[in-house]
Coordinates of all heavy atoms in Angstrom, one line a residue:
M1 N 142.0 87.9 83.8 CA 141.8 86.4 84.0 C 142.2 86.0 85.4 O 141.7 85.1 85.9 CB 142.6 85.7 83.0 CG 142.4 84.2 82.9 SD 140.7 83.6 82.7 CE 140.4 84.1 81.0
S2 N 143.0 86.8 86.0 CA 143.4 86.5 87.4 C 142.3 86.5 88.4 O 142.3 85.7 89.4 CB 144.6 87.4 87.9 OG 144.2 88.7 87.9
E3 N 141.3 87.3 88.2 CA 140.2 87.4 89.1 C 139.4 86.1 89.0 O 139.0 85.5 90.0 CB 139.3 88.6 88.7 CG 138.4 89.1 89.8 CD 137.7 90.4 89.4 OE1 138.3 91.3 88.9 OE2 136.5 90.4 89.5
I4 N 139.1 85.6 87.8 CA 138.4 84.3 87.6 C 139.2 83.2 88.3 O 138.7 82.3 89.0 CB 138.1 84.0 86.2 CG1 137.2 85.1 85.6 CG2 137.6 82.6 85.9 CD1 137.0 85.0 84.1
G5 N 140.5 83.2 88.0 CA 141.4 82.1 88.6 C 141.3 82.1 90.1 O 141.3 81.1 90.8
E6 N 141.3 83.3 90.7 CA 141.2 83.4 92.2 C 139.9 82.9 92.7 O 139.8 82.2 93.7 CB 141.4 84.9 92.6 CG 141.5 85.1 94.1 CD 141.8 86.5 94.5 OE1 142.6 87.1 93.7 OE2 141.3 87.0 95.5
V7 N 138.8 83.2 92.0 CA 137.5 82.6 92.4 C 137.5 81.1 92.3 O 137.0 80.4 93.2 CB 136.3 83.3 91.5 CG1 135.0 82.5 91.7 CG2 136.2 84.7 91.8
I8 N 138.0 80.6 91.2 CA 138.1 79.1 91.0 C 138.9 78.5 92.2 O 138.5 77.5 92.8 CB 138.6 78.8 89.7 CG1 137.6 79.1 88.6 CG2 139.0 77.3 89.6 CD1 138.1 79.1 87.2
K9 N 140.0 79.0 92.5 CA 140.9 78.5 93.5 C 140.2 78.5 94.9 O 140.2 77.6 95.6 CB 142.2 79.3 93.5 CG 143.2 78.7 94.6 CD 144.5 79.5 94.5 CE 145.5 78.9 95.5 NZ 146.8 79.6 95.5
N10 N 139.6 79.7 95.2 CA 138.9 79.8 96.5 C 137.8 78.8 96.6 O 137.6 78.2 97.7 CB 138.4 81.2 96.7 CG 139.5 82.2 96.9 OD1 140.6 81.9 97.3 ND2 139.3 83.5 96.7
R11 N 137.0 78.7 95.6 CA 135.9 77.7 95.6 C 136.4 76.3 95.7 O 135.8 75.5 96.5 CB 135.0 77.9 94.4 CG 133.8 76.9 94.3 CD 132.8 77.2 95.4 NE 131.7 76.3 95.2 CZ 130.8 76.0 96.2 NH1 130.9 76.5 97.4 NH2 129.8 75.2 95.9
R12 N 137.4 76.0 95.0 CA 138.0 74.6 95.1 C 138.5 74.3 96.5 O 138.2 73.2 97.0 CB 139.2 74.5 94.1 CG 139.9 73.2 94.1 CD 141.0 73.1 93.1 NE 142.0 74.1 93.3 CZ 143.0 74.1 94.2 NH1 143.0 73.1 95.1 NH2 143.9 75.0 94.3
N13 N 139.1 75.3 97.1 CA 139.6 75.1 98.5 C 138.4 75.0 99.5 O 138.5 74.2 100.4 CB 140.5 76.3 98.9 CG 141.9 76.2 98.2 OD1 142.3 75.1 98.0 ND2 142.5 77.3 97.9
E14 N 137.3 75.8 99.3 CA 136.1 75.7 100.1 C 135.6 74.2 100.0 O 135.1 73.7 101.0 CB 135.0 76.6 99.6 CG 135.3 78.1 100.0 CD 134.2 79.0 99.3 OE1 133.2 78.5 98.8 OE2 134.4 80.2 99.4
L15 N 135.6 73.7 98.8 CA 135.1 72.3 98.6 C 136.1 71.2 99.1 O 135.7 70.0 99.0 CB 134.7 72.1 97.2 CG 133.5 73.0 96.7 CD1 133.3 72.8 95.2 CD2 132.2 72.7 97.5
K16 N 137.3 71.7 99.4 CA 138.3 70.7 99.9 C 138.7 69.7 98.8 O 138.8 68.5 99.1 CB 137.9 70.1 101.2 CG 137.7 71.1 102.4 CD 137.4 70.4 103.6 CE 137.1 71.2 104.8 NZ 137.4 72.6 104.9
I17 N 138.8 70.2 97.6 CA 139.3 69.2 96.6 C 140.6 69.8 96.0 O 140.8 71.0 96.0 CB 138.3 69.0 95.4 CG1 137.8 70.3 94.8 CG2 137.0 68.3 96.0 CD1 136.9 70.1 93.6
N18 N 141.5 68.9 95.6 CA 142.8 69.4 95.1 C 142.7 69.6 93.6 O 141.7 69.4 93.0 CB 143.9 68.3 95.4 CG 143.7 67.0 94.8 OD1 143.1 66.9 93.7 ND2 144.1 66.0 95.5
Q19 N 143.7 70.2 93.1 CA 143.7 70.6 91.7 C 143.6 69.4 90.7 O 142.8 69.5 89.7 CB 145.0 71.4 91.3 CG 145.1 72.7 91.9 CD 146.4 73.4 91.7 OE1 147.4 72.8 91.7 NE2 146.3 74.7 91.4
Q20 N 144.2 68.3 91.1 CA 144.1 67.1 90.2 C 142.7 66.6 90.1 O 142.2 66.2 89.0 CB 145.1 66.0 90.6 CG 145.1 64.8 89.7 CD 145.7 65.2 88.3 OE1 146.8 65.7 88.2 NE2 144.9 65.0 87.3
T21 N 142.0 66.6 91.3 CA 140.6 66.1 91.3 C 139.7 67.0 90.5 O 138.9 66.5 89.7 CB 140.1 66.0 92.7 OG1 141.0 65.1 93.5 CG2 138.7 65.6 92.8
L22 N 139.9 68.3 90.6 CA 139.1 69.2 89.8 C 139.4 69.1 88.3 O 138.4 69.1 87.5 CB 139.3 70.7 90.3 CG 138.5 71.7 89.5 CD1 137.0 71.5 89.4 CD2 138.8 73.1 90.1
A23 N 140.6 69.0 88.0 CA 141.0 68.8 86.6 C 140.4 67.6 86.0 O 139.8 67.6 84.9 CB 142.5 68.8 86.4
D24 N 140.4 66.5 86.8 CA 139.8 65.2 86.3 C 138.3 65.3 86.2 O 137.7 64.9 85.2 CB 140.1 64.1 87.3 CG 141.6 63.7 87.3 OD1 142.3 64.0 86.4 OD2 142.0 63.0 88.3
L25 N 137.6 65.9 87.1 CA 136.2 66.1 87.1 C 135.7 67.0 85.9 O 134.7 66.8 85.3 CB 135.6 66.7 88.4 CG 135.7 65.7 89.6 CD1 135.4 66.5 90.9 CD2 134.8 64.5 89.4
A26 N 136.6 68.0 85.6 CA 136.2 68.9 84.5 C 136.7 68.4 83.2 O 136.4 69.0 82.1 CB 136.8 70.3 84.8
G27 N 137.6 67.4 83.2 CA 138.1 66.9 81.9 C 139.1 67.8 81.3 O 139.2 67.9 80.0
V28 N 139.9 68.5 82.1 CA 141.0 69.3 81.6 C 142.3 68.8 82.2 O 142.3 68.1 83.2 CB 140.8 70.8 81.9 CG1 139.5 71.3 81.3 CG2 140.8 71.1 83.4
S29 N 143.4 69.3 81.6 CA 144.7 68.9 82.2 C 145.0 69.7 83.4 O 144.5 70.8 83.6 CB 145.8 69.1 81.1 OG 146.1 70.5 81.0
I30 N 145.8 69.1 84.3 CA 146.2 69.8 85.5 C 147.0 71.1 85.1 O 146.8 72.1 85.8 CB 147.1 68.9 86.4 CG1 147.5 69.6 87.7 CG2 148.4 68.5 85.7 CD1 146.3 69.7 88.7
N31 N 147.7 71.1 84.0 CA 148.4 72.3 83.6 C 147.5 73.4 83.2 O 147.7 74.6 83.5 CB 149.4 72.0 82.5 CG 150.6 71.1 82.9 OD1 150.9 71.1 84.0 ND2 151.1 70.4 81.9
T32 N 146.4 73.0 82.6 CA 145.4 74.0 82.2 C 144.8 74.6 83.4 O 144.6 75.9 83.6 CB 144.3 73.4 81.3 OG1 144.8 72.9 80.1 CG2 143.1 74.3 81.1
L33 N 144.4 73.8 84.4 CA 143.8 74.3 85.6 C 144.8 75.2 86.4 O 144.4 76.3 86.9 CB 143.3 73.2 86.5 CG 142.6 73.6 87.8 CD1 141.4 74.4 87.5 CD2 142.3 72.4 88.7
V34 N 146.0 74.8 86.5 CA 147.0 75.6 87.3 C 147.2 76.9 86.6 O 147.2 78.0 87.3 CB 148.3 74.8 87.4 CG1 149.4 75.7 87.8 CG2 148.2 73.6 88.3
S35 N 147.2 77.0 85.3 CA 147.4 78.3 84.6 C 146.2 79.2 84.8 O 146.4 80.4 84.9 CB 147.8 78.1 83.1 OG 146.7 77.5 82.4
I36 N 145.0 78.6 84.8 CA 143.8 79.4 85.0 C 143.8 80.0 86.4 O 143.6 81.2 86.6 CB 142.5 78.5 84.8 CG1 142.4 78.2 83.3 CG2 141.3 79.3 85.2 CD1 141.3 77.1 83.0
E37 N 144.1 79.1 87.4 CA 144.2 79.6 88.8 C 145.2 80.7 89.0 O 145.0 81.6 89.8 CB 144.4 78.5 89.7 CG 143.2 77.6 89.9 CD 143.3 76.6 91.1 OE1 144.4 76.6 91.7 OE2 142.3 75.9 91.3
R38 N 146.3 80.6 88.3 CA 147.4 81.6 88.4 C 147.1 82.9 87.6 O 147.8 83.9 87.7 CB 148.7 81.0 87.9 CG 149.3 80.0 88.8 CD 150.6 79.5 88.3 NE 151.2 78.5 89.2 CZ 152.1 77.7 88.9 NH1 152.7 77.8 87.7 NH2 152.6 76.9 89.8
G39 N 146.1 82.8 86.7 CA 145.8 84.0 85.9 C 146.6 84.1 84.7 O 146.6 85.2 84.0
T40 N 147.3 83.0 84.3 CA 148.2 83.1 83.2 C 147.6 82.3 82.0 O 148.2 82.4 80.9 CB 149.6 82.5 83.5 OG1 149.5 81.2 83.9 CG2 150.3 83.4 84.6
G41 N 146.6 81.6 82.2 CA 146.0 80.8 81.1 C 145.0 81.6 80.2 O 144.6 82.7 80.6
N42 N 144.7 81.1 79.1 CA 143.7 81.7 78.2 C 142.7 80.6 77.7 O 142.7 80.2 76.6 CB 144.5 82.3 77.0 CG 143.6 83.1 76.1 OD1 142.5 83.5 76.5 ND2 144.0 83.3 74.9
P43 N 141.9 80.2 78.7 CA 141.0 79.1 78.4 C 139.8 79.5 77.5 O 139.5 80.7 77.5 CB 140.5 78.6 79.7 CG 140.5 79.9 80.5 CD 141.8 80.6 80.1
S44 N 139.2 78.6 76.8 CA 138.0 78.9 76.1 C 136.9 79.1 77.0 O 136.9 78.6 78.2 CB 137.7 77.7 75.1 OG 137.3 76.6 75.8
I45 N 135.8 79.7 76.6 CA 134.6 79.9 77.4 C 134.1 78.5 77.8 O 133.6 78.3 78.9 CB 133.5 80.7 76.6 CG1 134.0 82.1 76.4 CG2 132.2 80.6 77.4 CD1 134.2 82.9 77.6
N46 N 134.1 77.5 76.9 CA 133.6 76.2 77.2 C 134.4 75.5 78.3 O 133.8 74.9 79.2 CB 133.6 75.3 76.0 CG 132.6 75.7 74.9 OD1 131.6 76.3 75.3 ND2 132.8 75.3 73.7
T47 N 135.7 75.7 78.3 CA 136.5 75.1 79.4 C 136.2 75.8 80.7 O 136.0 75.1 81.7 CB 138.0 75.3 79.1 OG1 138.3 74.6 77.9 CG2 138.9 74.8 80.2
L48 N 136.1 77.1 80.7 CA 135.7 77.8 81.9 C 134.4 77.4 82.4 O 134.2 77.1 83.6 CB 135.7 79.3 81.7 CG 137.0 80.1 81.9 CD1 136.7 81.6 81.6 CD2 137.6 79.9 83.2
Q49 N 133.4 77.3 81.5 CA 132.1 76.9 81.9 C 132.1 75.5 82.5 O 131.4 75.2 83.5 CB 131.1 76.9 80.7 CG 129.7 76.7 81.1 CD 129.2 77.9 82.0 OE1 129.3 79.0 81.6 NE2 128.7 77.5 83.1
T50 N 132.8 74.6 82.0 CA 132.9 73.2 82.5 C 133.5 73.2 83.9 O 132.9 72.6 84.8 CB 133.7 72.3 81.6 OG1 133.2 72.3 80.3 CG2 133.8 70.9 82.1
I51 N 134.5 73.9 84.1 CA 135.2 74.0 85.5 C 134.2 74.6 86.5 O 134.0 74.2 87.6 CB 136.5 74.8 85.4 CG1 137.5 74.0 84.6 CG2 137.0 75.1 86.8 CD1 138.8 74.8 84.2
L52 N 133.5 75.7 86.1 CA 132.6 76.4 87.0 C 131.4 75.5 87.3 O 130.9 75.5 88.4 CB 132.1 77.7 86.3 CG 133.2 78.8 86.1 CD1 132.7 80.0 85.4 CD2 133.8 79.2 87.5
N53 N 130.9 74.8 86.3 CA 129.8 73.8 86.6 C 130.2 72.8 87.6 O 129.4 72.5 88.5 CB 129.4 73.1 85.3 CG 128.6 74.0 84.4 OD1 128.1 75.0 84.8 ND2 128.5 73.6 83.1
V54 N 131.4 72.3 87.5 CA 131.9 71.3 88.5 C 131.9 71.9 89.9 O 131.6 71.3 90.9 CB 133.3 70.7 88.2 CG1 133.9 69.9 89.3 CG2 133.2 69.9 86.9
L55 N 132.2 73.2 90.0 CA 132.3 73.9 91.3 C 131.0 74.5 91.8 O 130.9 75.0 92.8 CB 133.4 75.0 91.2 CG 134.8 74.6 90.9 CD1 135.7 75.8 90.6 CD2 135.3 73.8 92.1
G56 N 130.0 74.3 90.9 CA 128.7 74.9 91.3 C 128.6 76.4 91.2 O 127.9 77.1 91.9
L57 N 129.4 76.9 90.2 CA 129.4 78.4 90.0 C 128.9 78.6 88.6 O 128.8 77.7 87.8 CB 130.8 78.9 90.1 CG 131.5 78.7 91.4 CD1 133.0 79.1 91.3 CD2 130.9 79.6 92.5
K58 N 128.6 79.9 88.3 CA 128.1 80.3 87.0 C 128.9 81.5 86.5 O 129.4 82.3 87.3 CB 126.6 80.5 86.9 CG 126.1 81.7 87.6 CD 124.6 81.8 87.5 CE 124.1 83.1 88.2 NZ 122.7 83.3 88.0
L59 N 129.0 81.6 85.2 CA 129.8 82.7 84.6 C 128.8 83.8 84.3 O 127.7 83.6 83.7 CB 130.4 82.2 83.3 CG 131.4 83.2 82.6 CD1 132.5 83.5 83.5 CD2 131.9 82.5 81.3
E60 N 129.1 85.0 84.8 CA 128.3 86.2 84.5 C 129.2 87.3 83.8 O 130.4 87.4 84.1 CB 127.8 86.8 85.8 CG 126.7 86.0 86.4 CD 126.1 86.7 87.7 OE1 126.4 87.8 88.0 OE2 125.3 86.0 88.3
C61 N 128.6 88.0 82.9 CA 129.3 89.0 82.2 C 128.9 90.4 82.6 O 127.7 90.7 82.6 CB 129.1 88.8 80.7 SG 129.9 89.9 79.6
K62 N 129.8 91.2 82.9 CA 129.5 92.6 83.2 C 130.2 93.5 82.2 O 131.4 93.4 82.0 CB 130.0 93.0 84.6 CG 129.3 92.3 85.7 CD 129.8 92.7 87.1 CE 129.2 92.0 88.2 NZ 129.7 92.4 89.5
L63 N 129.4 94.3 81.5 CA 130.0 95.2 80.5 C 130.2 96.6 81.1 O 129.3 97.1 81.8 CB 129.1 95.2 79.3 CG 128.8 93.9 78.6 CD1 127.8 94.1 77.5 CD2 130.1 93.3 78.1
K64 N 131.3 97.2 80.8 CA 131.6 98.5 81.2 C 131.7 99.5 80.0 O 132.1 99.1 79.0 CB 132.9 98.6 82.0 CG 133.0 97.7 83.2 CD 134.4 97.9 83.8 CE 134.7 96.9 84.9 NZ 136.0 97.0 85.4
S65 N 131.3 100.7 80.3 CA 131.5 101.7 79.2 C 132.9 102.2 79.2 O 133.6 102.2 80.3 CB 130.6 102.9 79.3 OG 129.7 102.9 80.3
L66 N 133.4 102.6 78.1 CA 134.8 103.1 78.0 C 134.9 104.5 78.4 O 134.2 105.3 78.4 CB 135.3 102.9 76.5 CG 135.3 101.5 76.0 CD1 135.7 101.5 74.6 CD2 136.4 100.7 76.8

């Protein structure tokens, strides 16, 4: 999860918006966003998708063999 959080944080910084603004635009709590960016959260796919949409990003899935 930390990789996704890092991408979200970097994109947010590129767009020059603070965490509170992104949280408000995505309709999530600031605590949820902070935990996602730190890689400690466990958000639903819908929550991630909403945040990524606000940032103009999309979620892609890469599957690896074991």
Side-chain angles (χ1 to χ4, degrees):
M1 188 55 70
S2 62
E3 203 173 311
I4 293 172
E6 188 174 322
V7 169
I8 289 171
K9 181 178 181 177
N10 290 339
R11 179 64 174 162
R12 179 179 59 74
N13 288 328
E14 285 174 10
L15 295 174
K16 298 183 184 345
I17 58 176
N18 62 35
Q19 289 175 320
Q20 186 64 61
T21 300
L22 177 55
D24 291 344
L25 291 170
V28 300
S29 74
I30 184 72
N31 292 334
T32 296
L33 180 61
V34 168
S35 67
I36 292 169
E37 286 191 358
R38 288 183 180 164
T40 59
N42 188 20
S44 69
I45 294 295
N46 289 337
T47 298
L48 272 180
Q49 190 63 57
T50 301
I51 293 168
L52 295 176
N53 285 343
V54 170
L55 295 172
L57 299 172
K58 67 179 182 176
L59 187 61
E60 291 185 3
C61 180
K62 293 181 182 179
L63 300 176
K64 299 179 190 178
S65 353
L66 297 176

